[in-house]
Amino acid sequence: MLDATHQDKGSRRVQENGTEVTAAGIARLAGVGRAAVSNWRRRHADFPKPVGGTETSPSFALTEVETWLRTQGKLAEVPLRERVWQQLAGHPEGPVTALVHVGCALLLVNDRPTVWLELSAGSDARLAELLPAPLDQVLTPRFGLVRKRAVDTPTAAQLRPSAPLLRGAVDLAAELGTRKAYEFLLGRHLDANPRQYTLTPTGLAALMTDLAGPARTVLDPACGTGALLRAVAAAQDTKGIEDQHLYGQDSAPELAALTALRLALHAEATVTTVRTAAADSLRDDTYGTLTADAVLCHPPFNERNWGHDELAYDPRWEYGFPARTESELAWVQHALARLKEGGIAVLLMPPAAASRRSGRRIRADLLRRGALRAVIALPPGAAPPYNLPLHLWVLRRPALTAHPAQPEVLLADTGAFTADSRGGLDWQSVRAAVLDAWRPFDRAGTAPEQPGLSRSVPVIELLDDDVDLAPARHLPPPAAGGGAEHLADVRDRLGETLRRTGELTPPAADPRPPTRWPLTTIGELARGGALQLRTGGNGGHARVPVLTDHDVLAGTAPSGTLPESDEEAVLTEPGDVVVPVLGGGAIARVVDEATAGAALGRNLALLRPDPAAIDPWFLAGFLRGTANNRQASSYASTATRLDARRLQVPRLPLDQQRTYGERFRALAEFEEALRLAGRLGEQLVRGMYDGLTDGTVEPG
């Protein structure tokens, strides 16, 4: 009875106040920091009162907040995207339920737009009451009556709190399209909860799809948020497939539902079937009779409770019963069992699965029978956990007729493509290297050796006591440091850089007393129009290079990625000044022509000065002052955060700014020369050690 009373009160509160929003959400709406919201609450008696949350993290009614912000002149208009996102994030049943309801409504709009127009003409209560029947008429043909169907038709009572959100989502779809609107909202949710989901990066999903090749029927037995199946659907046109059947299964019901809706909205008419089921694929295989052309899978790693005790006599274990510690080899055999003869499976695997002694008998049988075709080591950072060089296993289901097993297996290692920062990988280069090795091997059963990258290894070489399939242990090394000629080139470049460093060394400084300039803050300059202040976004277009905070700190080229969404990214321009806001370092970088056009990454603030008022090098130089950063920083238990608005610069005439700016520019050139000398020196030392130890460099 207490629970029901509590729910009734909560429902009345939501109906009276609308969607709730936290202080962080208010800050995003107004384009300010959370400290500003706290100040408003203290200084303005008419600021909206909390309607929920806790004492330390209260929530407020979105409509009341919007009204107050407009009255104060702090909000001209709430962007439609932000308003819909706030409604979704503050949904009383949680954002996942809200995403399911939105996906159902967008499917109705996509399939039967006139029905939605008729239903939405009345009140929210009428909309919720009438919506279930037409939704069921759309969902059942889309997802069938398969056992444990992932998306059930919501009831009128379940839809009632979602009615305002559904109207906003449909308005957003009118602006972006149904697919892009749903991808935006789902992307924001995934990005806001990075620890809750194990994501498959877009570049990795595309590579796994390419390795699988053209396929009409595709299964992902651990589909998660649907990244792999979405990549398959996106590639259908380029592979000339006129109709596809996509099947997914996941033990988390919410993930199976999100995948189903995502695929249904993404798939064009050429995808005739989308089915997802909410069940554990190993313990409760929904698609036990399915024979697929391809299986793509990013399974959970290192699971002990995968069903070892109850599945001992399962017919899927054709290559041996996996040990309790070998859950990944259970997924490998499950994938093979769901393939038709000649079908391809591509699985993301932890590197330990290639060499653990407990799995050597299964690995040996996979090799003997020709089921395992390739093991490809990816660079660290390809997918979570980002510190490990994960592997891709490519498998083919052998034909039942008696054919000799394939005598060779492809081993490849793309570790050389490791990004020079934590920002991300050059997926285009990784993809090209992997496919250049795989495609000839797939056609001929063998491929030319590429030292340090790939080798077609006779199976007999691998069938020893360990059956170790780690590619790095079987590949011939590349020439040490690129070879003696390359080392000579590095040495010459180092010598030239050291000479340039000497020329750029700043002259001796003359002592003088501290100067007391009249100061202004970045916030004041922004309010006066002398510069624009922007912050890094939460998403952007997938192909835009991203300038990360690490790139700024290390002085390297843009190397990062943002979650793929249709949100407009902040693009850099020449003369912009970029400042990291985390970590407590006194760093500022002026964007040059080479960096211009990159998207601004998270944890960065961008200052775009008016060149008629502020010299960018003058601005960047004074922002790097240690005392300046200290007074503008706040300190938490584990991090230091910079409030860029509080940074100070002197009020100086433009010609005097330029004098300082030239000196700051010269210091930046000296700093870059030091960095380059350090990198070249490390490269030369590493190459010499490698050359001396493998005999390609003479010690004399």
Side-chain angles (χ1 to χ4, degrees), residues 63 85 161 172 298 328 337 353 470 483 513 609 652:
T63 53
W85 164 247
L172 185 62
H298 178 174
E328 296 85 9
L652 297 179

Side-chain angles (χ1 to χ4, degrees), residues 35-276:
V37 178
S38 298
N39 288 335
W40 293 342
R41 292 185 63 197
R42 288 194 298 268
R43 292 167 50 195
H44 297 276
D46 61 340
F47 190 87
K49 304 301 180 187
V51 296
T54 65
E55 184 176 347
T56 57
S57 181
S59 58
F60 307 83
L62 177 60
T63 53
E64 293 179 6
V65 169
E66 290 173 350
T67 301
W68 187 86
L69 290 173
R70 286 196 179 94
T71 302
Q72 295 291 323
K74 301 180 187 299
L75 179 67
E77 182 179 356
V78 180
L80 178 60
R81 295 184 184 199
E82 190 63 37
R83 179 179 179 83
V84 175
W85 164 247
Q86 293 293 348
Q87 288 177 316
L88 188 145
H91 193 280
E93 299 301 323
V96 173
T97 297
L99 279 167
V100 172
H101 291 177
V102 166
C104 292
L106 292 182
L107 268 181
L108 177 64
V109 171
N110 196 67
D111 291 2
R112 303 184 180 185
T114 56
V115 173
W116 170 263
L117 290 175
E118 180 183 343
L119 295 176
S120 61
S123 66
D124 287 353
R126 177 180 179 272
L127 175 63
E129 191 67 32
L130 298 179
L131 198 51
L135 283 183
D136 193 59
Q137 294 171 7
V138 170
L139 296 177
T140 297
R142 283 278 193 169
F143 305 128
L145 296 172
V146 66
R147 179 172 61 93
K148 295 181 175 61
R149 191 176 87 181
V151 184
D152 293 323
T153 303
T155 65
Q158 292 169 333
L159 288 169
R160 200 166 294 123
S162 301
L165 167 63
L166 300 185
R167 293 182 187 275
V170 173
D171 290 342
L172 185 62
E175 182 180 294
L176 302 177
T178 54
R179 178 180 64 83
K180 290 185 177 180
Y182 196 68
E183 285 295 323
F184 165 73
L185 294 172
L186 178 59
R188 283 287 292 265
H189 172 66
L190 297 177
D191 191 51
N193 301 275
R195 297 183 180 179
Q196 188 174 343
Y197 305 100
T198 300
L199 303 180
T200 307
T202 302
L204 177 57
L207 173 59
M208 294 174 69
T209 300
D210 286 337
L211 288 168
R216 181 165 282 108
T217 302
V218 183
L219 167 69
D220 182 350
C223 61
T225 59
L228 292 174
L229 292 175
R230 181 175 178 269
V232 172
Q236 63 185 355
D237 294 335
T238 61
K239 295 185 177 181
I241 299 175
E242 296 183 357
D243 64 289
Q244 280 189 316
H245 307 274
L246 306 180
Y247 297 87
Q249 185 168 341
D250 201 278
S251 58
E254 66 275 12
L255 295 184
L258 294 179
T259 293
L261 293 165
R262 187 182 196 184
L263 292 175
L265 286 166
H266 185 87
E268 303 298 338
T270 51
V271 178
T272 57
T273 303
V274 172
R275 297 284 187 269
T276 64

Side-chain angles (χ1 to χ4, degrees), residues 28 155 175 182 290 314 326 347 410 432 443 482 498 571 576 584 593 595 626 652 699:
R28 283 195 296 270
T155 65
E175 182 180 294
Y182 196 68
L290 177 68
D314 196 287
E326 294 288 354
L347 283 82
L410 178 69
R443 288 192 298 268
L498 290 173
L571 301 183
D576 288 346
E593 293 289 345
T595 306
T626 302
L652 297 179

